[in-house]
Amino acid sequence: MLLLIALTFLLSYTEANPSGFTVNLIHRDSTLSPYFNSSKTPYENLRNSVTRARARSAHFFTQNLDSSSSSFQSPLTAEPAEYLMKISVGTPPVDLLAVADTGSDLAWTQCEPCTQCYQQDTPLFNPEKSSTYVKQTCDSQACQSLSTTSCDDNNKCSYEVSYGDKSFSKGDLAFESLTFESTSGSPVVLPNISFGCGHINGGNFDKFTTGIVGLGNGPLSIVSQLNDTINGKFSYCLAPLGANVSSKVSFGSNAVVSGDGVQTTPFFTSDSGTFYYLDLESVSVGKTNVKFEKKKYTSNKAGADAGNIVIDSGTTITFLPTEFYQNFENEFKSSISSTPVEGAEGFSLCYRKEQGFEEKVPTVTFHFSGADLDLGASNTLLEVEEGVLCLAISQADDDMISIFGNVQQMNYLIGYDLVKETVSFKKSDCTNL
């Protein structure tokens, strides 16, 4: 259970220099997570993760259909993404286990007094007990950057955010201190962060979801608010599924991706600003190249169409357009001499995990503009049943946005530079950071 931090521990808190720090990311199915269920096998957890990915990806299309609407802050489902982060809110700090999500912006938590709240296992945050809590006025920059705000008689700003599955949070937009549990052992205090104190919340949230930390590119995400302090840089390194170690997310000087083997590609954003879109030019299976032609959703600085796939840490597998996926799958099958077998529901291409099979798997390369990511068997196949490996790339519905999922990102150090508007990749052992 997440509890109030003891007073003796509070005395050790200092406002650490946030110019460079690293925080653990907890995969929701690891033994470190409150979602961990020992009665489920790793294969069940993995299949459930892919089911969540499909539900999450189904809401991505609202980003474009409703980008001009004021009713959506995030087009995604409220079902938690795959990674969690321990943070604390207020002074004295109250512990939360928040969803860390590159597909969301505004950070918020449930607050007292609660008019309507979903059940959570831990006490609600009480802003009256925090010495650093300040409600924002309607002329604040943060309030004006949100399209779904309102003002009371005292000129205080209220926010409203909704999600693609009709979940929602409403409450006061405030300034507050957030404390991150840094891997260095020294907690990092970030003062005056704009966040939502939700008094009316509902939908598909569950009892473990006590808050959201947005890592998107919108103006109220944590990384955007810290832009000047961290020089617009954050990175993460996702450990493979089943490794049972924490992944890492770094900010500022700790987030620089450099050295031999770095590949860099520009990212683009739509009007809403949340998602990071990349330009995918083609995908190779071995030496065979399959050209990727898909509608582009944004524009570059010169005004040309750009950005045809979202890179997302919260979606497990990669989703590609139906016609392109079929061409890709056909090339993948023709490059392997083994005969496909029937696998778990939701996977269209599976193989028996025989001795030496993984050596037969061709290298799959995603060719982004300026960056070529070589993916081996561990990034392209998942063992969804004992002895059965299935392709961790799937077809998307025609009205869905293409998504580059987190299985394909595992064991890569991935750095975002919001100043240069680039994403950099470097092969890395994410279990040993």
Side-chain angles (χ1 to χ4, degrees), residues 71 83 117 124 128 137 140 183 185 206 212 250 254 306 334 361 396:
S71 62
Y83 291 93
C117 284
L124 300 182
E128 292 186 359
T137 60
S140 71
T183 57
D206 57 48
I212 289 178
S250 298
N254 288 25
S334 66
V361 177

Side-chain angles (χ1 to χ4, degrees), residues 64-187:
N64 295 290
L65 297 183
D66 297 309
S67 61
S68 61
S69 170
S70 62
S71 62
F72 287 95
Q73 181 268 331
S74 171
L76 300 184
T77 171
E79 174 74 20
E82 297 303 292
Y83 291 93
L84 309 170
M85 179 191 298
K86 290 182 179 180
I87 66 169
S88 301
V89 178
T91 308
V94 177
D95 277 2
L96 302 176
L97 191 62
V99 175
D101 191 5
T102 55
S104 297
D105 288 328
L106 180 67
W108 64 266
T109 189
Q110 295 199 114
C111 290
E112 294 183 357
C114 182
T115 304
Q116 175 186 333
C117 284
Y118 59 87
Q119 181 184 357
Q120 69 177 53
D121 272 0
T122 53
L124 300 182
F125 176 66
N126 187 346
E128 292 186 359
K129 295 182 178 180
S130 174
S131 63
T132 48
Y133 180 87
V134 179
K135 289 184 180 180
Q136 295 196 31
T137 60
C138 283
D139 55 3
S140 71
Q141 184 176 356
C143 186
Q144 293 182 4
S145 70
L146 282 175
S147 59
T148 52
T149 57
S150 59
C151 296
D152 63 16
D153 293 338
N154 296 317
N155 197 39
K156 299 300 182 182
C157 183
S158 297
Y159 76 93
E160 177 179 349
V161 293
S162 300
Y163 297 83
D165 60 358
K166 309 305 179 185
S167 297
F168 60 89
S169 175
K170 304 176 184 179
D172 298 317
L173 189 66
F175 291 115
E176 185 55 287
S177 291
L178 300 188
T179 302
F180 288 76
E181 195 175 89
S182 171
T183 57
S184 68
S186 299

